[in-house]
């Protein structure tokens, strides 16, 4: 993608207390034409149960919009929703939920060319504003599809405060991963004819810095939630501007993909998997890890692989597989010979970093 390709930016990013209860007023401020257009709300069955009052309120605010419980975060489901949108002349899709819902609704809006309003119930990763959707294709196999980013993003700080802490930790992990991703991006550019987009690089670095250097350590404070939500959105915009996921995804993400593809029984979120991946990635890159280990410890993010059911043998194999999961993506892994002794030492160091 050349440097002058046009890119899309959201018209609205609102991070407010009780934003879900006055989402129509927020949209009226930024995109008044949308109000009154035929709208559909996409969520998941259990979320519709938990947040019934809020979701019913949003539906009423948008002309008694139909509420649809999606069945899976899959390509087929997104296409099925897009078909409904096109056939029934629906103009606006509102996605309410975590990454699964937001990726499905985002791709459905992309295919159907509907306006997409993103309303996250947790901040577990940077997919809320990214130009990509990760969806199941056949069975549990997943693929990343390019798509249009949201027209509007509305974050209700009360929702995030009440979300499980693990989901917020996952969002922190996805943000900290930008540290090693940016190193790999520069490394890749130096070995190929590609360029690093300076603006996308700066945005991704700001995303990392804003969370890493944040004085507020209370993850349930409104200040922290505002900073984390903006950081995740900045990451999404960096990818949109770069025309690829390179500003936010490097060797640490290849490690996470290796877990997802080869060790599906390991129960770890995407954000926590990339957080685990940043520590060895830093070491392979010759970067200092004490600061990041200290940061994770201060936020209660556990980096002992064993606590996720990952043994020494599995850990070594995951890094071996990480080289192969995305062929053509140059990272630090291409230039190093995997040394089992070093990997065992890294594993032990992570185990001790309690």
């Amino acid at each position: 993608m050349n440097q002058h390709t046009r890119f899309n930016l959201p018209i609205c990013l609102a991070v407010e207390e009780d934003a879900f209860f006055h989402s129509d007023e927020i949209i009226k401020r930024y995109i008044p034409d949308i109000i009154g257009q035929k709208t559909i709300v996409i969520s998941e069955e259990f979320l519709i149960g938990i947040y019934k009052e809020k979701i019913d309120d949003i539906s009423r605010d948008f002309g008694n919009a139909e509420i649809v419980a999606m069945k899976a975060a899959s390509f087929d489901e997104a296409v099925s929703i897009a078909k409904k949108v096109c056939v029934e002349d629906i103009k606006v899709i509102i996605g309410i939920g975590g990454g699964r819902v937001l990726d499905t609704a985002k791709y459905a809006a992309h295919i159907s060319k509907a306006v997409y309003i993103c309303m996250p119930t947790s901040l577990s990763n940077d997919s809320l504003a990214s130009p990509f959707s990760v969806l199941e294709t056949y069975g549990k196999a997943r693929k990343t599809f390019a798509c249009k980013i949201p027209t509007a993003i509305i974050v209700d700080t009360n929702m995030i405060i009440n979300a499980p802490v693990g989901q917020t930790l996952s969002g922190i992990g996805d943000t900290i991963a930008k540290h090693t991703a940016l190193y790999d991006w520069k490394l890749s550019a130096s070995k190929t004819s590609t360029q690093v987009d300076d603006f996308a690089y700066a945005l991704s670095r700001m995303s990392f810095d804003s969370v890493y250097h944040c004085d507020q350590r209370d993850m349930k404070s409104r200040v922290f939630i505002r900073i984390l939500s903006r950081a995740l959105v900045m990451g999404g915009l960096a990818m949109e501007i770069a025309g690829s996921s390179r500003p936010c995804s490097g060797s640490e993400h290849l490690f996470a993909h290796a877990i997802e593809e080869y060790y599906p029984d390991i129960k770890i979120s995407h954000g926590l998997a990339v957080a685990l991946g940043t520590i060895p990635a830093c070491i392979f890159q010759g970067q200092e890890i004490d600061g990041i280990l200290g940061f994770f410890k201060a936020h209660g993010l556990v980096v002992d692989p064993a606590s996720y059911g990952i043994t020494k043998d599995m850990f070594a194999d995951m890094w071996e597989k990480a080289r192969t999961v995305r062929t053509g993506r140059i990272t630090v892994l291409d230039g190093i010979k995997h040394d089992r002794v070093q990997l065992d030492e890294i594993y032990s160091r992570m185990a001790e970093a309690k």
Side-chain angles (χ1 to χ4, degrees):
M1 190 179 244
N2 72 38
Q3 300 292 309
H4 303 292
T5 306
R6 286 181 66 81
F7 48 80
N8 297 292
L9 298 178
I11 294 171
C12 151
L13 167 60
V15 185
E16 299 175 16
E17 197 174 334
D18 280 334
F20 281 16
F21 277 125
H22 52 260
S23 53
D24 57 329
E25 293 160 30
I26 292 167
I27 293 298
K28 257 181 217 154
R29 284 203 305 263
Y30 293 95
I31 333 166
D33 311 354
I34 287 179
I35 304 297
Q37 302 228 25
K38 196 169 180 187
T39 301
I40 187 174
V41 174
I42 309 292
S43 193
E44 281 182 293
E45 198 72 67
F46 81 99
L47 290 173
I48 294 168
I50 297 169
Y51 300 121
K52 189 174 183 336
E53 190 191 350
K54 288 197 179 193
I55 292 176
D56 284 349
D57 188 71
I58 291 161
S59 161
R60 274 195 304 277
D61 286 346
F62 286 87
N64 291 322
E66 183 184 348
I67 300 167
V68 174
M70 63 175 228
K71 296 170 196 67
S74 68
F75 183 84
D76 290 347
E77 184 73 359
V79 171
S80 165
I81 294 165
K83 180 181 178 182
K84 177 183 175 69
V85 168
C86 293
V87 171
E88 297 179 20
D89 292 322
I90 293 162
K91 302 298 182 202
V92 182
I93 295 177
I94 299 175
I96 302 176
R100 287 165 44 82
V101 172
L102 302 182
D103 275 6
T104 310
K106 180 167 46 170
Y107 200 66
H110 172 69
I111 302 170
S112 61
K113 297 191 165 45
V115 169
Y116 172 47
I117 301 172
C118 165
M119 299 177 69
T121 52
S122 64
L123 295 176
S124 55
N125 58 52
D126 56 19
S127 76
L128 74 163
S130 77
F132 301 100
S133 286
V134 180
L135 300 169
E136 287 170 6
T137 51
Y138 301 108
K140 291 289 171 202
R142 304 198 308 170
K143 182 172 160 66
T144 301
F145 298 94
C147 60
K148 196 167 163 290
I149 65 173
T151 303
I153 300 164
I154 298 175
V155 179
D156 184 330
T157 52
N158 285 349
M159 295 291 277
I160 309 304
I161 285 169
N162 293 313
V165 169
Q167 293 182 336
T168 307
L169 283 172
S170 181
I172 290 171
D174 213 11
T175 305
I176 296 307
K178 291 168 176 59
H179 182 59
T180 44
L182 289 170
Y183 180 100
D184 279 333
W185 191 18
K186 279 199 159 168
L187 180 73
S188 173
S190 72
K191 292 183 182 304
T192 61
S193 58
T194 58
Q195 274 186 305
V196 167
D197 182 300
D198 290 341
F199 191 64
Y201 185 97
L203 259 182
S204 184
R205 175 53 68 185
M206 280 165 62
S207 166
F208 166 81
D209 285 342
S210 66
V211 172
Y212 185 70
H213 296 295
C214 177
D215 293 335
Q216 176 57 264
R217 291 287 162 94
D218 177 6
M219 288 184 295
K220 290 195 176 289
S221 80
R222 291 184 203 288
V223 170
F224 186 81
I225 286 163
R226 193 168 287 118
I227 286 167
L228 180 61
S229 51
R230 285 179 182 154
L232 292 170
V233 170
M234 274 194 277
L237 300 187
M239 291 187 268
E240 170 72 9
I241 290 164
S244 83
S245 60
R246 294 274 3 193
C248 303
S249 173
S251 43
E252 75 300 319
H253 269 70
L254 297 181
F255 172 75
H257 293 316
I259 297 176
E260 287 160 14
E261 289 173 32
Y262 294 99
Y263 292 91
D265 295 338
I266 296 289
K267 295 286 169 263
I268 185 170
S269 69
H270 170 77
L272 292 179
V274 296
L276 286 193
T278 53
I279 294 159
C282 265
I283 293 169
F284 302 147
Q285 292 169 350
Q287 299 202 77
E288 183 49 62
I289 62 164
D290 290 343
I292 283 178
L293 281 176
F295 173 89
F296 285 154
K297 188 175 181 180
H299 286 84
L301 197 157
V302 177
V303 294
D304 176 7
S307 64
Y308 302 98
I310 299 170
T311 64
K312 259 187 184 172
D313 286 344
M314 288 158 79
F315 185 74
D317 187 52
M318 285 164 181
W319 280 107
E320 200 52 60
K321 299 261 198 305
R323 307 160 166 278
T324 64
V325 287
R326 294 287 182 275
T327 49
R329 169 151 295 202
I330 294 171
T331 69
V332 71
L333 300 181
D334 295 294
I336 57 170
K337 243 181 76 62
H338 268 310
D339 173 346
R340 181 60 197 261
V341 174
Q342 185 197 27
L343 284 167
D344 286 353
E345 280 171 4
I346 293 171
Y347 183 95
S348 300
R349 186 157 179 198
M350 289 169 72
E352 288 157 12
K354 290 192 171 71

